[in-house]
Amino acid sequence: MTETAGLARALQRATMRFDPNTLREYVDDAESLWAVREEMSGRLPTLHLDVDRARLLGLKVVASRLLGDFETAMADGKQALEIAEATGRDLIVAPARARLARVHAWRSEHDEADRLFALAEAGELPRSFVASVRLHAGLSCIAQGRLIEALIHLERALDDSNNDEWLTSIAAYALDAAHRRAGAYGFGPRPRSWAERAHHPAPRPFRDRESGRYGYKDAEGRSVIMSAFDQVGDFRGGVATVRRGLWGAITREGRTVVPFLYDEMRTEMPDGRTVDGFVDGVVGIDRRGGKGAVDRSGKLVVPPKYRQVLAHPGGFAVCTSFGQWGAIDRDGVEVLPERYRREQVLSRLESFVVVDNGPL
């Protein structure tokens, strides 16, 4: 993780200059950036964790894009996204999507760029990251002449930017360019909804009138998962919680990935929210009164023996029947025994948060 962070800093030092006319970044010292990319290529074979490989490949995508090597950027971007999606972690998947989207945008493949930008907004993500995604989505829309949509993206980016100087300066150039182009060519097509941009493929729940049971239909209204369930939830991260007597989870193809063993599947968050279904690749479970958690492959990460389980980006805060708290990491390993206050445990879990905060 430290090596990856060092390369991210080296990448940032090698870049960048923003051109207000083309609305793109450029490097003044391409030779240094080539050297950084070569170092990234050399480090990749030494990394064994998917999160580290996805992050470093993502940084290499940025370097290749800035160097104009779109073929390498595209190949690495697709591989980074595949690896990231295997982790199920929002903070790893979203940057991989955004970086690949930027390669598509620079290649004027805007439909795919906009789809990936839309998907990159989804999940439990820091506002500053979402601001950056929306900024680049706005730049993509300006290039297409979708100026009303671009202005919406840029406004939202500024709202979430926390006054970031770099983002604010680029947004100012982008707003100026959008208004100039609107004066010359008009504002372009109507803004699209998130679902339109994302080409959202997730099946939608429906209730069969005859049987009273639930299944899923596609966007055209065709049944894609038969109505065989007592209750169903929305797809989150490619999986949905469903009840057939007891609760389990299925993929978009209807394949069972979490067996039907649980009395309830809901995810409690540290901020007090309760989400019906998966969050960041995990879901809370209840079995015979005990709370736990499973991941989207069905692996039992937290055994159902606690009074309360909170899903945190760094792991799980668990509470015993005596009101004492402990911590379990994302691999199911206890990192704090159950003898602390809730606030102490959540603070410790922050140190385990895996964030890909390199440049997009």
Side-chain angles (χ1 to χ4, degrees):
M1 187 180 299
T2 303
E3 290 182 355
T4 305
L7 287 168
R9 289 191 293 271
L11 176 59
Q12 288 172 321
R13 285 195 299 270
T15 60
M16 70 189 60
R17 174 173 49 86
F18 187 79
D19 187 325
N21 296 311
T22 63
L23 301 181
R24 292 186 177 187
E25 309 100 321
Y26 295 89
V27 290
D28 293 318
D29 188 359
E31 186 176 345
S32 294
L33 188 55
W34 280 108
V36 170
R37 196 183 79 160
E38 286 302 308
E39 187 175 356
M40 292 174 181
S41 297
R43 295 276 182 88
L44 276 168
T46 70
L47 302 178
H48 304 292
L49 296 177
D50 282 347
V51 291
D52 293 333
R53 292 172 62 218
R55 277 199 302 253
L56 188 52
L57 271 169
L59 295 176
K60 188 166 174 266
V61 170
V62 177
S64 296
R65 174 176 56 80
L66 290 168
L67 290 166
D69 185 359
F70 295 142
E71 185 176 347
T72 300
M74 187 64 67
D76 286 342
K78 290 178 179 178
Q79 185 182 3
L81 181 54
E82 182 180 353
I83 295 171
E85 287 178 338
T87 72
R89 307 291 299 275
D90 292 344
L91 293 173
I92 302 301
V93 175
R97 285 172 170 162
R99 290 177 178 130
L100 184 55
R102 296 211 65 198
V103 179
H104 281 292
W106 277 36
R107 287 163 53 108
S108 298
E109 298 163 352
H110 293 293
D111 192 54
E112 181 62 8
D114 293 347
R115 184 184 75 85
L116 288 167
F117 280 134
L119 293 174
E121 295 179 21
E124 296 293 319
L125 303 165
R127 290 181 64 189
S128 59
F129 172 80
V130 175
S132 183
V133 172
R134 287 174 173 160
L135 170 70
H136 296 304
L139 297 178
S140 176
C141 286
I142 291 173
Q144 300 170 69
R146 293 181 171 275
L147 300 181
I148 299 176
E149 192 171 317
L151 294 173
I152 293 171
H153 282 308
L154 295 171
E155 181 182 16
R156 290 175 177 172
L158 289 169
D159 286 344
D160 290 338
S161 68
N162 197 26
N163 296 318
D164 178 87
E165 185 176 346
W166 174 252
L167 187 150
T168 303
S169 64
I170 294 178
Y173 288 128
L175 286 167
D176 184 58
H179 284 107
R180 287 200 315 271
R181 297 183 191 192
Y185 307 109
F187 282 94
R190 66 167 180 82
R192 295 163 295 177
S193 67
W194 181 89
E196 287 174 312
R197 289 186 290 121
H199 308 300
H200 203 287
R204 298 176 298 180
F206 80 97
R207 185 171 185 260
D208 183 81
R209 291 183 179 179
E210 292 186 10
S211 68
R213 309 196 83 188
Y214 292 87
Y216 292 87
K217 291 183 177 181
D218 63 16
E220 284 72 42
R222 296 171 298 202
S223 176
V224 290
I225 299 176
M226 64 182 296
S227 50
F229 305 104
D230 306 315
Q231 286 179 259
V232 295
D234 293 327
F235 279 89
R236 299 173 61 90
V239 287
T241 54
V242 293
R243 184 171 70 86
R244 192 166 60 206
L246 295 173
W247 285 89
I250 59 173
T251 66
R252 293 175 181 177
E253 296 74 37
R255 180 172 58 87
T256 300
V257 286
V258 179
F260 294 86
L261 298 173
Y262 304 107
D263 300 314
E264 190 175 67
M265 297 183 83
R266 305 177 73 197
T267 308
E268 293 187 66
M269 308 294 290
D271 60 7
R273 289 178 298 142
T274 299
V275 177
D276 289 326
F278 285 78
V279 176
D280 204 20
V282 296
V283 64
I285 57 169
D286 187 306
R287 189 175 187 187
R288 297 172 184 170
K291 301 289 183 68
V294 298
D295 68 17
R296 64 181 192 161
S297 71
K299 175 186 174 184
L300 186 64
V301 185
V302 180
K305 63 178 185 179
Y306 297 98
R307 187 180 77 176
Q308 190 174 8
V309 174
L310 304 179
H312 184 281
F316 304 90
V318 296
C319 180
T320 68
S321 57
F322 300 103
Q324 295 179 305
W325 290 82
I328 295 174
D329 70 15
R330 293 285 300 221
D331 295 319
V333 178
E334 182 186 85
V335 291
L336 282 179
E338 295 90 37
R339 60 167 180 257
Y340 295 91
R341 297 194 309 275
R342 180 179 185 272
E343 293 74 19
Q344 291 175 300
V345 169
L346 293 176
S347 177
R348 177 63 183 276
L349 284 173
E350 285 294 329
S351 66
F352 294 101
V353 176
V354 177
V355 181
D356 183 348
N357 55 5
L360 300 182

